[in-house]
Amino acid sequence: MNKYIKIIEVGPRDGLQNESIETSISWKVELVDHLTATGLKQIEVGSFVSPKRVPQMAGSTKVFDGIKKKNGTSYSALVPNLKGLHLALEARASEVAVFISATEGFSRSNLNCTIAESLATITEIIAVADHAKCPVRGYISCITHCPFDGRVNPLHVASLCERLLDIGCYEISLGDTIGKASADNISTLLDTVCAKISAENLAGHFHDTNDNALANVATSLAFGVQTFDASIAGLGGCPFAPGAPGNLDTGKLVRFLEDKGFDTRINMQMLAKAEAFVSNKINSKNHQPYGRN
Ligand code: HMG
Ligand code: MG
């Protein structure tokens, strides 16, 4: 039997937060329903952050209210603080994701706080989430390069991973926020991180600026990473990281993994429908699916 690789769809959050297109709640609901139909086991539906800072994510409660949930699929929400967690719990998110930066520059830009303050907030979030039996996933941004602080020390990322697992995140998604990491950079990072924690607790979150994301997936697979984030039609980026482009295109990742003999359990016909639904709306310049041309 081929080895299963889990794909976490982050398009409705990481994708749409950085697209300057008009989206309605009903369109977002339809998008998530299309994604559910592909067989994806985890979908990040939206975020509960300051609507002044990320207006594209306003209305996430209504999106959660509108979607048709399928048994066995997890519908998650990104939250920066306790206020966000309470909104996510009220919206009946299956789980939440917290986020921290490996660098002070991006921490200030994205969350308006230091790394230490961010860790304190995440500790508070996890205490309340635990009580509500809500699993918490953790993101670390700027794992190799920061748009403000430059190159990042792998030892620092490794100790943040340990810290987040210690305080209760079940998995750490390693974010190449601006898509600058080469396969060599990822290899050096994972050498250091995997010396401290198991690759089973890691996921790859590779933005695809320089078309390096698949090489970074291949490198991560060799270290035993079995979970990757991706964004339908390569949507998005981060509004607070200059130069951050879309995340790795879900279709490109699925085709790459299936070509390599891995099992993604994604229905390709339904994936093509979801891609077409998004591409019609966005007319995405990123959309050049792997293995299609
Ligand atoms: P702050 O600027 O320090 O100010 O915000 P605040 O805490 O006083 O809040 C400002 C206003 O936001 C207040 O409203 C709060 O009530 C409200 P006002 O009094 O001005 O009317 N507010 C909220 N509203 C809704 N939900 C909330 C919430 N919290 C506060 N949860 C804060 C600090 C963290 C809230 C803000 O900086 C923020 O929302 N940042 C989030 C930025 C963001 O969403 N970035 C993109 C996602 S991260 C990413 O893309 C990276 C990732 O993909 C991995 C990777 O690629 O590396 C995950
Ligand atoms: Mg991202």
Side-chain angles (χ1 to χ4, degrees):
M1 206 163 59
N2 290 347
K3 186 170 179 185
Y4 172 60
I5 299 293
K6 182 173 178 185
I7 297 178
I8 299 188
E9 172 59 48
V10 295
R13 193 280 303 169
D14 203 0
L16 294 183
Q17 74 182 9
N18 207 36
E19 294 286 348
S20 56
I21 50 154
E22 293 269 320
T23 52
S24 61
I25 299 296
S26 63
W27 185 85
K28 288 183 183 176
V29 167
E30 218 180 317
L31 169 62
V32 175
D33 288 347
H34 272 292
L35 294 168
T36 297
T38 66
L40 281 156
K41 288 284 166 247
Q42 193 161 327
I43 302 169
E44 203 165 80
V45 171
S47 63
F48 294 98
V49 299
S50 162
K52 284 185 190 145
R53 299 211 66 208
V54 191
Q56 300 90 324
M57 288 292 108
S60 287
T61 299
K62 289 184 181 152
V63 181
F64 269 97
D65 278 351
I67 58 178
K68 291 185 199 77
K69 290 188 179 159
K70 185 168 133 191
N71 272 344
T73 304
S74 177
Y75 298 90
S76 66
L78 187 79
V79 300
N81 51 21
L82 276 179
K83 178 167 183 167
L85 173 67
H86 288 302
L87 289 169
L89 292 174
E90 274 163 37
R92 296 186 308 282
S94 322
E95 62 178 86
V96 295
V98 292
F99 53 116
I100 191 166
S101 172
T103 60
E104 295 293 352
F106 185 61
S107 184
R108 181 59 63 197
S109 165
N110 199 34
L111 285 157
N112 193 26
C113 66
T114 64
I115 297 172
E117 287 165 343
S118 202
L119 275 170
T121 302
I122 290 174
T123 306
E124 283 174 359
I125 291 174
I126 291 179
V128 178
D130 267 1
H131 195 65
K133 297 195 170 25
C134 175
V136 180
R137 184 173 195 244
Y139 283 105
I140 300 177
S141 291
C142 300
I143 50 166
T144 58
H145 297 76
C146 171
F148 306 100
D149 299 355
R151 290 299 302 275
V152 179
N153 185 340
L155 281 170
H156 179 55
V157 178
S159 68
L160 263 186
C161 286
E162 281 187 302
R163 199 64 204 281
L164 288 179
L165 289 173
D166 275 356
I167 59 181
C169 292
Y170 72 84
E171 177 177 277
I172 310 303
S173 179
L174 295 171
D176 177 17
T177 314
I178 53 173
K180 276 212 169 168
S182 66
D184 279 351
N185 296 152
I186 295 298
S187 181
T188 305
L189 174 72
L190 290 177
D191 257 339
T192 309
V193 172
C194 294
K196 290 182 181 280
I197 64 170
S198 164
E200 284 178 16
N201 292 121
L202 295 174
H205 179 103
F206 302 126
H207 286 260
D208 208 8
T209 326
N210 297 320
D211 215 13
N212 278 344
L214 285 184
N216 294 341
V217 169
T219 302
S220 308
L221 286 166
F223 277 87
V225 177
Q226 297 165 37
T227 303
F228 296 95
D229 301 348
S231 176
I232 191 76
L235 288 173
C238 176
F240 307 106
N247 211 297
L248 173 56
D249 183 326
T250 308
K252 186 168 159 180
L253 176 61
V254 170
R255 285 178 268 274
F256 173 81
L257 290 170
E258 298 275 341
D259 274 4
K260 293 247 172 288
F262 293 102
D263 182 11
T264 60
R265 299 184 198 155
I266 303 290
N267 178 318
M268 299 303 282
Q269 277 181 332
M270 291 305 184
L271 187 68
K273 277 194 182 175
E275 284 175 340
F277 177 77
V278 172
S279 299
N280 272 343
K281 178 82 173 178
I282 306 267
N283 195 14
S284 172
K285 55 186 181 304
N286 298 326
H287 194 217
Q288 193 59 260
Y290 171 85
R292 282 274 192 79
N293 37 4

